[in-house]
Amino acid sequence: MSQAPAGSTETPDEDESSSRRRILNATAEVLGRSGQTKLSLSEVALQAGVSRPTLYRWFASKTELLDAFGVYEREMFDTGISRATAGLRGTDKLDAALQFIVAYQQTYSGVRLIDVEPEVVVAQLSRILPLMRSRLERLLSGPNAGLKAATAIRIAVSHYVVRSDDADQFLAQLRHAVGIKQ
């Protein structure tokens, strides 16, 4: 186990976790500029403010980094949804989840990979869409829950592919898809 830097108030585990998190956050920034095929581990290390040996201690290869980044993004999204919906029930919980989806797409820098490498994103959609649908479907009830979830996810993906700066319209479309009356 490594030592925390001199004068640091972090424990070694916190420092290591912080380095890993900085690397994963930097990966989002570099992906947004370069895409997956041109991703440079040196550029990620520089963006994260860590040495290449530190990056390689966490991620032995570009593939390993990208795999971990995919998991990290899903965890960030799931944690955000959980926080946004904590303590809520029914329609309030569903609406909070939809509001989070809109805010996430409008603010998260890594989400714009479609602008840099559309072919990579399109290839990943067939794997990602069923996951997104099942997660949203858990918040819905009734006989058309699957249809509503699928429609809302397709709206979210269309807003991702063809970005709109109108968050209110995006949210209104999601609410309409799942049957929330305003």
Side-chain angles (χ1 to χ4, degrees):
M1 185 180 327
S2 70
Q3 296 293 316
S8 171
T9 59
E10 293 182 283
T11 65
D13 288 342
E14 287 172 338
D15 186 48
E16 290 293 316
S17 175
S18 173
S19 293
R20 185 177 193 281
R21 193 171 34 258
R22 282 197 334 262
I23 292 166
L24 292 168
N25 286 332
T27 301
E29 295 298 322
V30 174
L31 281 171
R33 288 191 304 262
S34 307
Q36 285 186 12
T37 55
K38 294 181 182 176
L39 179 78
S40 157
L41 295 181
S42 295
E43 190 177 354
V44 171
L46 183 64
Q47 179 76 34
V50 300
S51 67
R52 282 186 55 126
T54 297
L55 185 139
Y56 281 112
R57 184 173 48 217
W58 284 104
F59 309 103
S61 68
K62 179 177 165 177
T63 301
E64 195 175 307
L65 174 62
L66 289 172
D67 289 346
F69 179 72
V71 170
Y72 179 69
E73 272 193 312
R74 284 188 297 279
E75 288 172 354
M76 276 189 357
F77 185 83
D78 289 344
T79 298
I81 287 276
S82 294
R83 286 183 181 149
T85 61
L88 300 175
R89 294 185 157 311
T91 303
D92 290 338
K93 185 172 188 169
L94 175 60
D95 194 48
L98 298 178
Q99 290 177 49
F100 175 79
I101 289 168
V102 170
Y104 185 83
Q105 279 198 18
Q106 303 248 315
T107 60
Y108 178 56
S109 63
V111 86
R112 294 310 308 160
L113 185 56
I114 189 82
D115 295 335
V116 179
E117 234 170 12
E119 65 281 352
V120 171
V121 173
V122 170
Q124 293 174 344
L125 284 176
S126 64
R127 182 180 52 82
I128 294 169
L129 285 173
L131 290 170
M132 293 171 64
R133 177 186 169 179
S134 70
R135 288 177 179 159
L136 184 58
E137 193 171 350
R138 285 185 236 146
L139 299 174
L140 294 162
S141 60
N144 292 326
L147 178 62
K148 289 176 180 179
T151 304
I153 294 306
R154 289 180 188 278
I155 290 168
V157 168
S158 72
H159 275 267
Y160 171 71
V161 172
V162 181
R163 186 172 179 139
S164 166
D165 290 329
D166 191 340
D168 292 335
Q169 184 183 53
F170 181 11
L171 181 58
Q173 290 170 354
L174 289 175
R175 285 174 172 158
H176 181 75
V178 298
I180 294 177
K181 307 272 188 241
Q182 285 300 100

